[in-house]
Amino acid sequence: MTTPTPSPRPRGTLYLVPAPLDFGCSEQAPLTDVLPAGTLQQAAQLQHWIVENAKTARAYLKRIEEHVPLCQPLQAMQMVELPREVHKVGDHAGQKNSTAKGAKNATPKRTDPPAFDPRSLLRPALDGHDMGLVSEAGMPGVADPGSSIVRAAHQLGLRVVPLTGPISLLLALAASGLNGQSFAFIGYLPQDDSARANALRMYEAHARKTGQAQIAIETPYRNAKLWQACLQHLQADTWLSVHSGISLPTARSQSMSVKSWRKQGEECPMDGKTPAVFIFGC
């Protein structure tokens, strides 16, 4: 009599859990206004988490608990943080500030991602537990850490499910009036004034040649510097769109030509505390 082959152990699912976009803002949007009930209910059922920041993740789960009971007390949640280096460089190839002096050489240099094995963070899913991946705001893996975890999940044969929620880049693009059929997320521009100017001119030239909208973000306290650089270095007829406080009652979305922005003065329309999205093109 042959011994039956044991069934393979069932594996868990990796859920990509979006977070509200009010991280770091002075006010918070009601959670049920920006996240559907299905997302909140699924997040409340997860005990195992991969997070950008444990403190922020617990605060988010506490907000969820106000609407949906959690499967475990907060203290019992199993959380592991992504390595700090991933936040700074990115999950895959990152970018260093360009030191080029000419626009032709303004392409940011590439650097290798930090060395860590993301598969090790998915052990609970291999043992049959569903897991959640969450960043501090928006969708993990989109302008936020997490894509290496998602890739590792696919390599391990795990089911990956993105949950519905806000993604700042797409919300801003939809409200910009710029090309939603062809666009690129260029991330953070160099901090050095000369390198930033070169990068803006390079991306603008590409936008004017192809019609592709260029989407950039900046650390809130540097919003004004990027804003001033856009007014100074982009051509007058280039369309510039700025968005801040997306999903909040105080949200601002405004688009016009650089020439029109200059006529209004150089005062930055965004404060130094609220996350913002910059989009420019033709």
Side-chain angles (χ1 to χ4, degrees):
M1 182 176 179
T2 58
T3 303
T5 303
S7 300
R9 177 185 298 178
R11 295 185 171 189
T13 295
L14 177 66
Y15 289 94
L16 312 185
V17 181
L21 301 175
D22 51 26
F23 172 73
C25 298
S26 58
E27 62 178 319
Q28 291 184 326
L31 208 57
T32 51
D33 284 359
V34 294
L35 288 161
T39 294
L40 298 178
Q41 291 167 1
Q42 181 58 67
Q45 295 304 308
L46 300 173
Q47 182 182 359
H48 297 268
W49 291 87
I50 302 171
V51 304
E52 182 175 358
N53 181 283
K55 182 178 179 180
T56 302
R58 290 191 182 95
Y60 178 28
L61 288 174
K62 189 173 182 179
R63 292 175 68 181
I64 291 177
E65 191 175 24
E66 295 174 0
H67 304 280
V68 184
L70 302 179
C71 65
Q72 295 284 343
L74 274 174
Q75 297 80 358
M77 294 293 178
Q78 303 297 310
M79 289 189 182
V80 59
E81 291 185 341
L82 288 167
R84 188 64 184 169
E85 292 78 7
V86 172
H87 304 182
K88 297 179 180 179
V89 180
D91 290 69
H92 300 290
Q95 293 185 344
K96 291 181 179 178
N97 289 348
S98 169
T99 57
K101 296 183 178 180
K104 292 183 180 180
N105 298 319
T107 304
K109 296 180 180 179
R110 311 294 291 188
T111 186
D112 292 332
F116 87 105
D117 185 358
R119 294 172 296 180
S120 64
L121 305 187
L122 291 164
R123 173 55 58 186
L126 296 177
D127 292 337
H129 300 284
D130 291 340
M131 300 189 70
L133 173 64
V134 66
S135 62
E136 291 184 319
M139 179 66 76
V142 180
D144 264 334
S147 58
S148 61
I149 300 297
V150 176
R151 177 179 290 194
H154 287 298
Q155 291 173 335
L156 293 170
L158 300 175
R159 181 171 175 246
V160 176
V161 176
L163 300 179
T164 303
I167 303 176
S168 61
L169 303 185
L170 296 184
L171 292 172
L173 179 63
S176 71
L178 283 156
N179 192 347
Q181 304 299 318
S182 178
F183 52 89
F185 175 55
I186 57 179
Y188 293 90
L189 295 179
Q191 295 180 31
D192 175 77
D193 291 343
S194 177
R196 186 194 301 113
N198 289 337
L200 280 170
R201 295 189 189 103
M202 179 191 69
Y203 288 123
E204 181 188 42
H206 181 71
R208 297 175 75 88
K209 179 179 180 181
T210 65
Q212 184 182 74
Q214 307 295 301
I215 308 173
I217 57 175
E218 186 50 276
T219 301
Y221 71 85
R222 287 198 291 263
N223 281 341
K225 280 189 172 293
L226 179 54
W227 166 254
Q228 291 163 2
C230 287
L231 292 192
Q232 182 178 355
H233 301 294
L234 295 178
Q235 296 186 38
D237 60 342
T238 291
W239 199 256
L240 175 61
S241 184
V242 294
H243 310 263
S244 63
I246 297 172
S247 79
L248 294 173
T250 54
R252 175 171 182 171
S253 293
Q254 192 169 1
S255 299
M256 63 180 76
S257 68
V258 170
K259 180 180 180 180
S260 296
W261 280 116
R262 289 171 180 166
K263 288 182 178 179
Q264 287 194 359
E266 294 190 4
E267 182 178 354
C268 182
M270 297 147 289
D271 61 36
K273 298 180 180 179
T274 306
V277 178
F278 297 74
I279 311 177
F280 58 90
C282 302

